[in-house]
């Protein structure tokens, strides 16, 4: 997984997803509906972050950019537990799951309305 992630990151670093003519996958939801999903812009955001363009990353997907520190913290906790020989099995309540789903839905509506 580490090698695959490094290879994908290397390809993304050298390939501008803002420009056409690359091998990066598009969003299937957008291809089917023409609408932006909550994750649309994530690849462009990652590219912009790799190149230190924080304002452009914000414009690509602000919600995903705000969620990134929490995701990295969770990944760090999981990795730390794994290196210590422990199994981390975090649980998320159904209320939190519904809240996150509702936030993603509102983000998708807001992005497509403006």
């Amino acid at each position: 997984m580490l090698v695959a992630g490094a290879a994908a990151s290397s390809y993304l670093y050298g390939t501008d997803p803002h420009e056409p003519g690359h091998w990066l996958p598009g969003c299937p939801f957008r291809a089917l509906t023409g609408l932006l999903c909550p994750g649309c812009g994530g690849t462009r955001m990652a590219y912009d972050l790799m190149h230190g363009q924080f304002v452009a990353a914000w414009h690509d997907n602000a919600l995903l950019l705000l969620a990134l520190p929490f995701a990295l913290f969770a990944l760090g906790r999981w990795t730390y537990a794994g290196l210590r020989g422990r199994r981390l099995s975090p649980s998320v309540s159904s209320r939190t799951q519904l809240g996150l789903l509702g936030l993603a839905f509102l983000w998708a509506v807001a992005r497509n309305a403006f």
Side-chain angles (χ1 to χ4, degrees):
M1 292 300 288
L2 185 61
V3 171
S9 296
S10 296
Y11 179 74
L12 179 60
Y13 185 83
T15 305
D16 188 353
H18 298 281
E19 301 292 328
H22 49 70
W23 290 354
L24 297 170
C27 175
F29 181 80
R30 187 168 187 186
L32 289 173
T33 65
L35 300 172
L36 297 170
C37 80
C40 276
T43 304
R44 293 186 308 274
M45 182 198 76
Y47 173 85
D48 290 336
L49 286 176
M50 287 179 180
H51 290 85
Q53 300 171 355
F54 298 105
V55 174
W58 177 263
H59 287 285
D60 290 333
N61 193 324
L63 182 64
L64 196 55
L65 186 61
L66 290 174
L68 190 60
F70 299 103
L72 290 174
F73 175 75
L75 178 64
R77 280 188 60 202
W78 177 76
T79 302
Y80 180 74
L83 291 173
R84 294 186 51 126
R86 298 186 176 147
R87 176 176 243 169
L88 182 65
S89 300
S91 62
V92 180
S93 70
S94 58
R95 189 175 185 177
T96 302
Q97 291 176 24
L98 284 174
L100 291 172
L101 185 61
L103 181 63
F105 177 76
L106 290 173
W107 173 243
V109 170
R111 289 185 81 193
N112 288 295
F114 300 105

